[in-house]
Amino acid sequence: RMFHDDELEESEKFYVGQPRVLLLIYALYNTLVARSEMVCYFVIILNHMISASMITLVLPILIFLWAMLSVPRPSKRFWMTAIVYTEVAIVIKYFFQFGFFPWNKHVDYTKDKPYHPPNIIGIEKKEGYVHYDLVQLLALFFHRSILKCHGLWDEDEKGDSSSNKEDTDDELSLAGGRRDSSASLKSVNLAASVESIHVHFPEQQTAIRRKSSSSTSQLSHRSSFSSHRSKRGSTSTRNSSQKGSSVLSIKQKSRKELLMEKFREQMIKAKAFTIKKTLQVYVPIRQFFYNLIHPDYSAVTDVYVLMFLADTVDFIIIVFGFWAFGKHSAAADITSSLSEDQVPEAFLVMVLIQFGTMVVDRALYLKKTVMGKVIFQVILVFGIHFWMFFILPGVTERKFSQNTVAQLWYFVKCVYFGLSAYQIRCGYPTRVLGNFLTKSYNYVNLFLFQGFRLVPFLTELRAVMDWVWTDTTLSLSSWICVEDIYAHIFILKCWRESEKRYPQPRGQKKKKVVKYGMGGMIIVLLICIVWFPLLFMSLIKSVAGITNKPLDVSITITLGGYQPIFTMSAQQSQLKDLNQTGFNTLLGSYRGNTAALQFLEGYGKEDITLADLEGNSNSLWTISPPSREKMIQGLLDFSSEFTVVLSWTIQSGAGVSFWEAVADCNILSCPDTKWSHCLKTLREVYPYYIKAPSDSLAKPIKQLLKDCKWKNITVSLVKNVSDEGVREWWVLNQLEKTFKTSGESLELIIFSDKVSPPSLGFLAGYGIMGLYASVVLVIGKFVREFFSGISHSIMFEELPNVDRILKLCTDIFLVRETGELELEEDLYAKLIFLYRSPETMIKWTREK
């Protein structure tokens, strides 16, 4: 072997024989060395995300507008700027950690204020103030050592010295006939200035380079100086030498005029110095962006898909974390806000800004304008940093470093900035052909492409934007027609390729795996759709239901439509949960009653509440004397019916339920003078068991009534005579209580239905019939369209070979990109004729 080296071979065998973990560590280290500049960028951005101050803001902006735009790599000047700036930032932060500064005396009070000046600048006192800066400095020095090891650290100085030498000799080379910038010397003569200022301005070079035959003209310093001195006339010798006459004398100028002239001279010098320094800063920046827009060579690439994915991730972060961009919406939910027809302002602003940037980015990509992309990058970098670090903390009233969602959004946006800078540096592709998902023909691309087309309005919006920002002769309808044909042909191409990869032999029946796998899944899916409302409504309350306990229970009893004789309510401690012993007692009392046990099966002990109502009415009986006499007459009239109205109201978390029960009353009344000692029984007027559903009236439970009879209660009127007057109120007591409560009281057992959880309330609110009408029938309509109407599309679906049609579509895209618009019209006419002629379509789609 010619190039055989035993040491190299032994070294290779040694490294190959190492453990896999060690080889992985070697690979990670080599990756770190190869992408050391990316490590520096990451650390700088991470430091800024955590610190979020003006001190750390400078370097991220320089990364996106200088380092990542430099060709072929960032210069030594940038890395030295980053290193020196980091060192200065560390010294400044260390200096302001001393406690004698006024703002360091109330750190606990001001540390969370976003607009506190030390917090904005980054000089606040805190623990670990310099940790990330030191890591950043370590990463910069690591990258510096890597560049020095490969001899790339001093490359810029050599290039600068050689370019300066060429500028001195006025010799510039022309590369590949491209336009280049030359440096011609122009004199800026400021009137009455002592010295001339020479500034280099880039100009476009002609096709033939030639050496300058004459140097740039300059004004004579001597003549300028003498003319300037002649205007002053400040000395007597100059006055005597003007005409040679010793008789004439010129009046000396005052001291004030001399000072004003000297001041004007200094102002002119200062102006000249300012212009010179400004141009020294402006001209390199202008030259940098000019070379970026008009490069000598261009490594064309296309990273628009990655930029779009980064924007999509940011869009998802905004939708699911919109509360992080508002003031008092930290505990809000986007679904609840939209269900109440309320659009949060923060959500609206961020979504519109994000969507607008995506549209502008698409327009720049289609127009392939690098200059527009550069301007958009500059505006976006400054705008996003100003919004995230100066406006957003004031809106949310919390620091950026405490807003995790905003930090995540900013990091993804930084990834977008990096991809955008890479696109600018390499240039846009000259041809944009089709969708990026249609580059290969497999199941992954097929399902991704169909999912892309299922997103509402995305396909339509993309087609219209492409038509607006692409040079074409087609109308919008013709453009959409071509896009639809291309999408259809691509899907057919994917299916034909899958048939070639997995061929089906002729005469062989389908395997059971395919039949039961695909067919069984479709059967189960259709059955689930048909019975979905019943399953959903039954399982949502029994499995995922929430107990709807009552919060307030009120009872009112009225005799014959007169003033209510009894009103009472039970709340809080008077509403008791039924324990296991009480629940077993309740079940035991209905042993053998099938209807009652079937009803009780649907409830647990946590769904039953015992309301203990006080027997004394909480309101006095304030009836007028005429009405009182009339009521007594009604009670004494045994030939007519006298009704008792008992109404109850149950309030729970899901709403208010109420009911009124009317019963006949044939009891005897005591004389008016003896009512305070009279105790009468109202028979079968008290329901005792109440069912409180969440969406209807609270009704008595007939299944739990014994012999279909309600409970009996006793009523009596209590009269209290005092100095303040006569006070009367009614006292009620229930007979045959299940749970022996002491004293005069009423028991009411309430069965509460479970309610659906809030997250599924929007579906449960439709009910069974609503779900059938709005879900099942709509899905059934789409399923029916899939199973019917196939015969009408056989001509365009069953194409054996679609390669020629696919090539015709790509040819239309290609001639459009090259500017052959007449040929685009001809190819489009050919495509339309192909779909209008079945015979031609058969010829074009035959197997080769």
Side-chain angles (χ1 to χ4, degrees):
R1 290 180 292 180
M2 184 178 298
F3 300 103
H4 177 71
D5 192 340
D6 294 334
E7 293 184 1
L8 291 177
E9 189 173 349
E10 291 295 330
S11 176
E12 184 178 356
K13 290 181 179 179
F14 172 77
Y15 281 107
V16 171
Q18 297 300 315
R20 292 184 179 272
V21 177
L22 192 59
L23 292 177
L24 178 61
I25 295 175
Y26 287 154
L28 292 177
Y29 175 75
N30 291 332
T31 304
L32 190 67
V33 171
R35 293 288 182 266
S36 57
E37 73 279 0
M38 301 302 296
V39 176
C40 295
Y41 299 156
F42 174 76
V43 173
I44 291 173
I45 293 172
L46 181 64
N47 183 21
H48 182 53
M49 289 172 58
I50 295 174
S51 301
S53 61
M54 293 180 63
I55 293 180
T56 57
L57 178 63
V58 177
L59 288 182
I61 294 178
L62 292 180
I63 286 175
F64 299 129
L65 299 182
W66 182 6
M68 288 188 173
L69 296 178
S70 300
V71 180
R73 65 185 66 84
S75 61
K76 175 184 176 182
R77 181 176 298 176
F78 168 78
W79 296 116
M80 287 302 301
T81 302
I83 291 172
V84 173
Y85 186 84
T86 304
E87 293 173 346
V88 172
I90 292 174
V91 173
I92 292 175
K93 289 184 178 182
Y94 173 75
F95 177 72
F96 284 101
Q97 295 301 308
F98 293 105
F100 55 78
F101 290 102
W103 56 82
N104 289 338
K105 297 179 181 179
H106 306 283
V107 177
D108 295 335
Y109 177 71
T110 60
K111 64 179 181 179
D112 294 331
K113 291 187 175 181
Y115 280 167
H116 187 53
N119 294 341
I120 296 176
I121 299 173
I123 55 176
E124 74 278 11
K125 185 179 181 179
K126 62 180 180 179
E127 296 292 335
Y129 64 95
V130 81
H131 290 170
Y132 288 94
D133 293 282
L134 293 176
V135 174
Q136 176 178 317
L137 190 62
L138 181 63
L140 291 172
F141 277 119
F142 173 73
H143 179 67
R144 177 173 174 265
S145 66
I146 297 299
L147 292 179
K148 283 193 172 184
C149 289
H150 291 82
L152 300 175
W153 181 252
D154 297 327
E155 184 182 21
D156 296 329
E157 293 183 352
K158 296 177 182 179
D160 293 340
S161 61
S162 61
S163 62
N164 291 335
K165 183 176 179 181
E166 290 178 357
D167 291 342
T168 304
D169 297 338
D170 291 329
E171 295 177 358
L172 298 173
S173 61
L174 181 65
R178 296 178 62 88
R179 295 182 302 171
D180 198 0
S181 60
S182 65
S184 64
L185 195 62
K186 291 184 178 180
S187 298
V188 180
N189 182 20
L190 299 175
S193 177
V194 179
E195 58 181 356
S196 298
I197 303 170
H198 304 281
V199 184
H200 295 273
F201 290 95
E203 294 180 350
Q204 293 184 355
Q205 190 71 6
T206 56
I208 303 175
R209 306 291 303 203
R210 62 182 183 273
K211 188 174 181 180
S212 178
S213 59
S214 61
S215 61
T216 308
S217 61
Q218 302 181 2
L219 296 177
S220 174
H221 290 283
R222 184 178 304 172
S223 60
S224 174
F225 181 73
S226 61
S227 62
H228 179 66
R229 295 285 294 179
S230 63
K231 292 180 182 179
R232 293 179 58 183
S234 60
T235 58
S236 60
T237 55
R238 190 177 68 244
N239 293 332
S240 61
S241 62
Q242 292 294 326
K243 293 183 179 181
S245 174
S246 59
V247 180
L248 299 175
S249 62
I250 300 175
K251 185 179 179 181
Q252 294 284 339
K253 290 186 177 182
S254 65
R255 181 180 180 85
K256 183 178 180 180
E257 292 178 350
L258 293 176
L259 290 176
M260 290 299 295
E261 287 189 1
K262 288 184 178 180
F263 177 73
R264 280 194 291 269
E265 288 183 3
Q266 295 299 326
M267 288 296 295
I268 292 173
K269 289 182 180 180
K271 183 178 179 181
F273 179 79
T274 303
I275 294 175
K276 180 178 179 181
K277 292 301 180 183
T278 303
L279 291 176
Q280 286 179 354
V281 175
Y282 165 74
V283 171
I285 295 175
R286 180 181 181 275
Q287 187 66 28
F288 174 79
F289 285 102
Y290 180 84
N291 294 335
L292 187 66
I293 298 172
H294 306 89
D296 293 335
Y297 57 89
S298 179
V300 174
T301 187
D302 189 356
V303 293
Y304 173 76
V305 176
L306 300 178
M307 290 190 293
F308 179 78
L309 290 178
D311 277 336
T312 304
V313 173
D314 269 341
F315 190 84
I316 295 173
I317 292 173
I318 293 173
V319 171
F320 290 97
F322 79 101
W323 49 267
F325 305 99
K327 185 175 182 180
H328 299 296
S329 55
D333 184 13
I334 184 63
T335 56
S336 61
S337 299
L338 296 180
S339 63
E340 297 173 359
D341 296 331
Q342 295 178 358
V343 180
E345 294 180 0
F347 171 76
L348 181 62
V349 171
M350 292 298 296
V351 164
L352 291 180
I353 290 176
Q354 184 65 40
F355 193 77
T357 56
M358 295 171 70
V359 172
V360 173
D361 209 6
R362 179 69 180 178
L364 296 173
Y365 174 72
L366 294 174
K367 298 300 291 185
K368 306 179 187 65
T369 168
V370 179
M371 178 181 293
K373 183 64 175 177
V374 171
I375 297 173
F376 185 64
Q377 174 88 344
V378 173
I379 294 174
L380 209 57
V381 167
F382 281 105
I384 291 297
H385 284 86
F386 182 75
W387 163 259
M388 296 300 293
F389 298 99
F390 295 98
I391 304 299
L392 185 64
V395 174
T396 59
E397 293 186 352
R398 59 182 180 270
K399 297 171 62 177
F400 177 83
S401 57
Q402 298 173 349
N403 197 337
T404 307
V405 177
Q407 288 178 328
L408 180 61
W409 187 89
Y410 174 72
F411 181 77
V412 178
K413 183 59 70 173
C414 288
V415 175
Y416 166 81
F417 285 147
L419 294 171
S420 182
Y422 181 71
Q423 183 72 79
I424 294 172
R425 191 175 62 196
C426 297
Y428 280 112
T430 56
R431 295 180 179 87
V432 180
L433 303 178
N435 196 313
F436 72 96
L437 294 174
T438 61
K439 302 303 180 184
S440 58
Y441 312 103
N442 50 45
Y443 280 123
V444 176
N445 288 65
L446 173 62
F447 294 136
L448 288 178
F449 182 72
Q450 289 183 332
F452 170 80
R453 288 174 58 84
L454 288 176
V455 178
F457 300 107
L458 184 58
T459 303
E460 294 80 1
L461 185 62
R462 176 184 176 273
V464 176
M465 286 195 300
D466 290 358
W467 180 75
V468 170
W469 288 302
T470 303
D471 296 333
T472 180
T473 59
L474 301 181
S475 62
L476 180 59
S477 59
S478 301
W479 180 284
I480 296 175
C481 179
V482 174
E483 292 290 332
D484 184 67
I485 292 174
Y486 178 71
H488 178 67
I489 295 300
F490 169 76
I491 294 173
L492 291 180
K493 176 65 176 177
C494 291
W495 286 118
R496 298 301 172 262
E497 291 295 324
S498 65
E499 291 172 359
K500 292 180 181 178
R501 294 191 186 98
Y502 311 102
Q504 174 70 23
R506 294 185 61 186
Q508 183 177 355
K509 64 180 181 180
K510 294 292 182 181
K511 297 180 180 180
K512 293 185 177 180
V513 177
V514 177
K515 296 180 69 176
Y516 286 101
M518 181 183 298
M521 187 180 299
I522 294 175
I523 292 173
V524 172
L525 183 61
L526 292 177
I527 292 176
C528 290
I529 292 174
V530 171
W531 299 109
F532 166 74
L534 295 178
L535 294 173
F536 177 78
M537 296 303 295
S538 63
L539 294 178
I540 192 175
K541 294 183 179 181
S542 61
V543 178
I546 300 174
T547 302
N548 185 29
K549 293 183 177 297
L551 303 177
D552 181 85
V553 177
S554 301
I555 288 182
T556 302
I557 298 178
T558 305
L559 293 178
Y562 295 98
Q563 187 74 18
I565 65 171
F566 182 83
T567 57
M568 180 53 65
S569 63
Q571 298 174 349
Q572 297 179 354
S573 61
Q574 297 170 340
L575 299 175
K576 303 174 183 178
D577 296 334
L578 200 65
N579 52 25
Q580 188 64 41
T581 304
F583 185 68
N584 294 334
T585 303
L586 184 64
L587 291 177
S589 63
Y590 290 98
R591 193 180 305 276
N593 190 341
T594 308
L597 292 177
Q598 183 179 2
F599 175 81
L600 292 174
E601 270 188 14
Y603 296 91
K605 62 182 182 61
E606 67 277 359
D607 301 327
I608 303 175
T609 303
L610 176 62
D612 186 11
L613 295 159
E614 174 66 28
N616 292 279
S617 177
N618 61 3
S619 62
L620 295 174
W621 192 39
T622 57
I623 188 171
S624 63
S627 298
R628 186 188 187 104
E629 293 293 334
K630 207 168 186 180
M631 187 181 73
I632 293 173
Q633 293 177 4
L635 289 172
L636 293 175
D637 186 6
F638 297 103
S639 61
S640 63
E641 294 183 353
F642 196 84
T643 58
V644 177
V645 179
L646 189 146
S647 61
W648 56 86
T649 303
I650 300 175
Q651 182 178 359
S652 61
V656 179
S657 301
F658 60 93
W659 183 261
E660 289 185 357
V662 181
D664 295 334
C665 181
N666 294 320
I667 63 172
L668 290 175
S669 175
C670 298
D672 184 44
T673 57
K674 300 179 181 179
W675 272 24
S676 59
H677 306 287
C678 183
L679 181 64
K680 288 298 179 180
T681 301
L682 298 179
R683 299 184 180 277
E684 302 178 9
V685 296
Y686 192 64
Y688 193 49
Y689 298 106
I690 301 295
K691 180 182 178 182
S694 60
D695 53 354
S696 60
L697 301 177
K699 300 179 181 180
I701 304 172
K702 296 182 180 180
Q703 294 90 330
L704 300 183
L705 297 178
K706 293 182 180 179
D707 299 331
C708 296
K709 294 181 180 181
W710 291 1
K711 299 292 182 179
N712 302 329
I713 59 174
T714 61
V715 296
S716 63
L717 180 65
V718 178
K719 182 181 294 186
N720 183 12
V721 180
S722 63
D723 297 338
E724 298 178 357
V726 180
R727 297 179 180 179
E728 294 178 333
W729 68 90
W730 291 83
V731 178
L732 274 67
N733 187 29
Q734 178 187 347
L735 303 177
E736 301 177 1
K737 301 176 184 177
T738 304
F739 303 95
K740 306 298 182 181
T741 55
S742 60
E744 296 172 333
S745 63
L746 299 176
E747 282 184 355
L748 194 65
I749 299 178
I750 303 165
F751 292 80
S752 301
D753 287 347
K754 293 182 180 293
V755 296
S756 59
S759 57
L760 299 176
F762 67 99
L763 279 178
Y766 286 102
I768 296 177
M769 299 306 297
L771 287 176
Y772 267 109
S774 60
V775 177
V776 177
L777 295 181
V778 174
I779 296 177
K781 182 179 179 180
F782 284 103
V783 173
R784 178 60 57 85
E785 290 181 357
F786 179 77
F787 279 88
S788 62
I790 301 177
S791 58
H792 303 290
S793 60
I794 292 177
M795 174 181 173
F796 306 104
E797 295 288 345
E798 301 299 327
L799 302 178
N801 187 1
V802 295
D803 292 344
R804 293 179 180 176
I805 305 177
L806 190 64
K807 187 177 182 302
L808 179 59
C809 293
T810 54
D811 288 343
I812 293 176
F813 300 152
L814 182 61
V815 298
R816 179 189 300 154
E817 292 294 328
T818 55
E820 301 289 340
L821 300 182
E822 293 183 0
L823 188 56
E824 179 193 12
E825 288 187 356
D826 296 339
L827 293 178
Y828 172 72
K830 186 176 182 179
L831 181 64
I832 296 301
F833 174 77
L834 185 63
Y835 270 80
R836 292 178 58 212
S837 174
E839 295 181 359
T840 310
M841 179 68 78
I842 293 174
K843 292 179 182 179
W844 268 58
T845 56
R846 287 176 179 172
E847 290 288 351
K848 297 180 181 179

